[in-house]
């Protein structure tokens, strides 16, 4: 072999050894990309980022989603919605949480020590938490109490008891969402009667300091409450499902929603879709995961759930609380909602509430 031929052969061999690793590297990247795409398409969806199955046009942050098509408003439709909103208007008791709390027994306030009767057993819930993955029984945090003899003057529909104290508790370490029957017990409501002698309860020793909330005053006032888009269109026939018409009707009625709103009764300020259907499907033994991810949930059962959703109503909505360096937030700027069946509210069965957490 000539010297030039030998050199060419060595050059060719060197080129082959150089190009083979590059080809293997590229093939590896392609295989990895395909694998990740398939994994991503098959992994379970995060239910906290989904909107309700039951709303016809989901929207987040109180505004229509980007996929909602803007069209010219229908004046006749707007007029119908306006009238229906007037018909659906409820009374709520809005709550301003700020200032120094009254420490008299049974007084309306956020946080502090709850005023309870003798023999009261502090509620516990078995769970892990965001910071501790060990499942164990944990004390609920006391959120707020309401002197019903005072609140009743704003409850123009006479839905709440006229006397006594209503106390709300929630397990803050786990901040359960209320999307599974296993969340039962993460929140509790107690009605203490007017004839019961109340006194401040001592915090359980195992209640973390962060969950011993400071006492803050609550100022109540009556306010008109209108359904949001998701609640309005649930089970409402005779209306085309148009966001623009609905928003036009809200504007004509001067309906404005504050960014932060805690309240008793009325319609919920929805963040991630209708919650009455969530409450009903849980009550029937289903989970939100089951409905969202099965892909073949029976249509007939969905219709039954939607129809029965009207049996639920808001009892208490708690938004972010901030006061003198203290801050309590649910999820990412969210709220917690205590719901109750209307028949249970009439019967004063506050042990039958269901809690839902929604956030942005």
């Amino acid at each position: 072999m000539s010297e030039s031929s030998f050199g060419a052969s060595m050059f060719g061999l060197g080129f082959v050894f150089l190009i083979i690793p590059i080809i293997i590297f590229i093939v590896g990247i392609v295989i990895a990309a395909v694998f990740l795409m398939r994994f991503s398409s098959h992994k379970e969806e995060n239910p906290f980022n989904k909107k309700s199955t039951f709303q016809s046009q989901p929207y987040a942050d109180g505004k229509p989603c980007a996929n909602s098509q803007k069209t010219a408003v229908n004046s006749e439709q707007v007029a119908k919605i306006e009238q229906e909103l007037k018909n659906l208007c409820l009374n709520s008791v809005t709550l301003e949480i700020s200032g120094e709390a009254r420490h008299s027994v049974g007084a309306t306030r956020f946080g502090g020590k709850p005023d309870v009767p003798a023999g009261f057993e502090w509620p516990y819930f078995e769970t892990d938490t965001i910071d501790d993955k060990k499942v164990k029984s944990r004390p609920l945090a006391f959120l707020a109490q309401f002197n019903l003899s005072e609140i009743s003057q704003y409850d123009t529909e006479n839905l709440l008891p006229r006397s006594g104290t209503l106390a709300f508790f929630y397990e803050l370490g786990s901040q359960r969402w209320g999307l599974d029957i296993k969340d039962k017990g993460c929140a509790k409501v107690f009605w203490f009667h007017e004839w019961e002698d109340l006194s401040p309860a001592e915090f359980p020793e195992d209640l973390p300091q962060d969950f011993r909330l400071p006492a803050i005053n609550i100022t109540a006032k009556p306010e008109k409450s209108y359904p949001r888009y998701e609640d309005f269109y649930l089970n409402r026939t005779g209306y085309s499902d148009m966001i623009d018409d609905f928003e036009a009707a809200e504007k004509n009625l001067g309906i404005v929603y504050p960014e932060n709103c805690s309240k008793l009764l009325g319609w919920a300020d929805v963040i991630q879709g209708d919650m009455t259907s969530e409450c009903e499907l849980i009550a029937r033994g289903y989970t939100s995961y089951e409905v969202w991810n099965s892909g073949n949930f029976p249509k007939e059962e969905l219709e039954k759930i939607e129809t029965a959703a009207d049996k639920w109503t808001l009892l208490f909505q708690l938004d972010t609380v901030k006061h003198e360096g203290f801050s309590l937030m649910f999820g990412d700027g969210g709220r917690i909602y205590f719901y109750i069946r209307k028949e249970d509210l009439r019967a004063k069965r506050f042990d039958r509430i269901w809690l839902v957490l929604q956030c942005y």
Side-chain angles (χ1 to χ4, degrees):
M1 179 181 295
S2 67
E3 187 173 316
S4 61
S5 299
F6 177 78
S9 299
M10 291 302 293
F11 177 82
L13 186 60
F15 180 80
V16 169
F17 280 114
L18 176 64
I19 199 67
I20 287 177
I22 295 176
I23 295 174
I24 293 175
F25 178 75
I26 293 173
V27 170
I29 291 177
V30 172
I31 292 173
V34 171
F35 174 79
L36 289 174
M37 289 175 65
R38 289 183 176 178
F39 176 78
S40 177
S41 64
H42 286 88
K43 69 179 180 179
E44 181 175 313
E45 294 184 71
N46 182 354
F48 305 148
N49 293 327
K50 286 186 68 71
K51 307 302 180 288
S52 171
T53 302
F54 305 95
Q55 64 186 55
S56 49
Q57 277 280 0
Y59 65 94
D61 304 341
K63 298 178 181 179
C65 293
N67 61 1
S68 301
Q69 295 182 356
K70 285 284 185 180
T71 59
V73 297
N74 181 322
S75 58
E76 182 177 348
Q77 170 88 347
V78 171
K80 286 178 59 180
I81 295 174
E82 280 185 52
Q83 185 57 52
E84 186 70 0
L85 284 172
K86 291 178 182 178
N87 296 339
L88 293 170
C89 179
L90 300 175
N91 180 67
S92 67
V93 183
T94 58
L95 310 168
E96 180 185 344
I97 305 176
S98 65
E100 184 177 351
R102 292 176 294 161
H103 290 281
S104 56
V105 175
T108 296
R109 66 174 175 272
F110 170 89
K113 294 180 178 179
D115 296 319
V116 301
F120 174 76
E121 294 185 6
W122 196 282
Y124 277 69
F125 177 61
E126 190 166 296
T127 182
D128 59 359
T129 69
I130 298 171
D131 300 318
D132 179 6
K133 300 306 178 184
K134 182 179 180 180
V135 176
K136 65 178 184 180
S137 185
R138 302 174 188 271
L140 276 61
F142 168 63
L143 298 177
Q145 67 181 29
F146 298 95
N147 183 323
L148 295 175
S149 62
E150 296 177 350
I151 295 296
S152 61
Q153 64 181 309
Y154 308 118
D155 174 22
T156 58
E157 296 170 10
N158 298 321
L159 299 175
L160 297 172
R162 313 313 287 173
S163 60
T165 302
L166 209 57
F168 292 81
F169 293 76
Y170 178 51
E171 205 293 297
L172 288 174
S174 59
Q175 290 207 11
R176 303 299 283 264
W177 294 72
L179 302 178
D180 193 300
I181 191 65
K182 295 178 182 178
D183 295 344
K184 183 178 181 180
C186 73
K188 292 283 188 180
V189 178
F190 297 91
W191 176 38
F192 304 130
H193 301 272
E194 67 276 12
W195 61 81
E196 295 180 288
D197 291 328
L198 305 182
S199 60
E202 293 301 322
F203 291 123
E205 291 184 1
D206 53 348
L207 180 66
Q209 288 293 330
D210 287 346
F211 301 157
R212 303 181 183 195
L213 309 180
I216 307 174
N217 186 59
I218 295 179
T219 303
K221 66 177 182 179
E223 195 79 45
K224 290 182 178 180
S225 179
Y226 296 92
R228 293 291 186 104
Y229 180 86
E230 299 94 334
D231 284 324
F232 179 85
Y233 279 107
L234 187 70
N235 296 323
R236 193 144 280 106
T237 59
Y239 295 87
S240 62
D241 190 358
M242 298 298 296
I243 290 177
D244 304 284
D245 294 340
F246 187 81
E247 289 185 332
E250 287 180 315
K251 184 176 180 180
N252 291 347
L253 291 174
I255 299 174
V256 178
Y257 302 105
E259 290 185 8
N260 185 297
C261 182
S262 297
K263 61 184 174 183
L264 293 164
L265 308 174
W267 292 94
D269 293 312
V270 174
I271 297 175
Q272 288 184 308
D274 165 68
M275 286 174 280
T276 56
S277 298
E278 298 280 0
C279 294
E280 183 61 24
L281 73 89
I282 293 292
R284 290 172 179 257
Y286 301 110
T287 69
S288 295
Y289 309 94
E290 189 176 356
V291 175
W292 283 329
N293 297 326
S294 67
N296 57 353
F297 195 79
K299 181 180 179 181
E300 298 78 12
E301 190 66 9
L302 281 177
E303 292 175 350
K304 291 179 182 178
I305 290 172
E306 289 178 345
T307 301
D310 190 51
K311 297 179 180 180
W312 293 83
T313 189
L314 178 71
L315 177 61
F316 177 40
Q317 169 182 304
L318 183 60
D319 212 320
T320 298
V321 178
K322 293 183 178 181
H323 179 68
E324 295 183 351
F326 167 78
S327 179
L328 175 62
M329 181 182 295
F330 304 101
D332 184 9
R335 306 181 182 102
I336 54 174
Y337 309 82
F338 290 77
Y339 274 88
I340 190 170
R341 282 194 178 96
K342 295 174 182 178
E343 62 182 8
D344 289 331
L345 180 56
R346 288 191 293 269
K348 302 177 177 59
R349 291 300 307 270
F350 296 105
D351 57 313
R352 295 180 176 177
I353 59 91
W354 189 257
L355 178 133
V356 179
L357 185 156
Q358 289 190 344
C359 68
Y360 295 99

